[in-house]
Amino acid sequence: MENPHHSIQPDFTSDTHAEACLQLADRGIVEDLITPTLQALWTLSNDQAKQHWDARLEQEAQEAHEAQRAAAEEEKLRQRALEEEQDLTKQEEQKKNKIKFIPVPDISVPTESIVIPSSYTLTKLHKAEYCELYYFTNRGLADAETTTPSFDDKALVLTKSDNGIHSFVSLSSVKAKSSLIKDEDLTWEEFGQAKFRMINTMCESEWPDEHIQMHIDFWLSIETHEWRHDTSLYNRSSLLTYEAHVRELWHRMLGTPKVFSLAKFNNNLLKKIRDELVHKASTAQIAAMQQVCFFHYPVLSLTFHVSHLSFSLFSILSPSLPSIQHHAQTRIIPFGSFSKRGHLNFHLA
């Protein structure tokens, strides 16, 4: 459609419009008014065409503007979605390779060698799983330093547990457990070495502050307990056994309604553990004494106190019975009985 604003009014006096002039004359229009009438009609029609033209242009402009705005909004949303996707990808990358994105401080290369726990140990702590203190002792760190990590450490190997169940575990865990010493078997010096190092590793693994403080209070209560420097070996040992038992139980109960606070020290449980240690030691001592030397020699009855059996029977008998070693033939038999005073009777025949 031609722009009506560019239209030029035709010459109505020309032969081209003679037919139109004749029709107006037939309708009674005075000849002098025919040309002005045609000009007026054309102007009216042109003005209407201009209005329609302008309205259409305005509508098209609005539609174009709306389309442009919608396209811009769509592009903005697309860019935002792309940025969010890139951020998520970056976050996943940071989670998978956390060490890669750790800021590096501007400090000099250390002169002393840096010893860090094994990757197996760090993984367990990162997952808030139970981890023995041994891995943070000097011996445990030395083992980790001498064990060279390899790509095969994540490989699975078939192992058999103490209860006879076969399962697949990572090779790194097998290496780490090969020299493991349980918490209750550590020395107090090793206990002191390990707890502070484990606390630092907990902080680096982003453990909750309340959990870290709870472990600090837990280990402090053990270090400051009245039995820590007790003359009784069983009292001192029961503290480390308590530490191992309670901390492992806490990890097992973590995330369940039965979880408890390590900082709430249970002296009743400690005494129970001490009694169990004493009972086990007594049982083992009695079992060890259920071996009696039986000699082919004239009947002789000797009585020894239970707590003084760490001697050589031959060395005691040899001064008075010089030929007993020559004639002795030994075999293991159940011993007879204890005396009322707690003495064990050995019989030589």
Side-chain angles (χ1 to χ4, degrees), residues 210-219 221 242 246-247 249-251 253-254 256-266 269:
E210 58 270 20
H211 288 183
I212 295 176
Q213 186 60 48
M214 181 177 60
H215 278 78
I216 294 175
D217 296 339
F218 171 62
W219 284 322
S221 64
Y242 174 91
V246 172
R247 193 165 62 86
L249 180 62
W250 181 82
H251 278 275
M253 296 296 102
L254 193 62
T256 70
K258 296 183 179 180
V259 69
F260 51 88
S261 173
L262 289 174
K264 302 294 184 180
F265 199 90
N266 190 334
L269 177 60

Side-chain angles (χ1 to χ4, degrees), residues 72-88:
E73 184 67 22
E74 183 179 356
E75 177 64 19
K76 185 177 180 180
L77 293 176
R78 190 185 69 83
Q79 289 293 337
R80 184 182 301 173
L82 181 61
E83 291 175 359
E84 291 177 353
E85 182 179 356
Q86 292 175 346
D87 290 340
L88 289 176

Side-chain angles (χ1 to χ4, degrees), residues 5 10 31 40 68 86 89 130 140 173 177 186 193 199 201 209 233 238 293 306 313 325 329 337 346 348:
H5 291 280
E31 183 177 356
Q68 185 178 6
Q86 292 175 346
T89 303
Y130 175 72
S173 64
K177 293 179 180 179
L186 295 176
Q193 296 168 1
I199 288 295
T201 308
D209 293 340
L233 174 63
S238 62
C293 295
V306 173
L313 185 61
Q325 297 187 45
Q329 295 181 2
S337 61
F346 287 87
L348 303 180

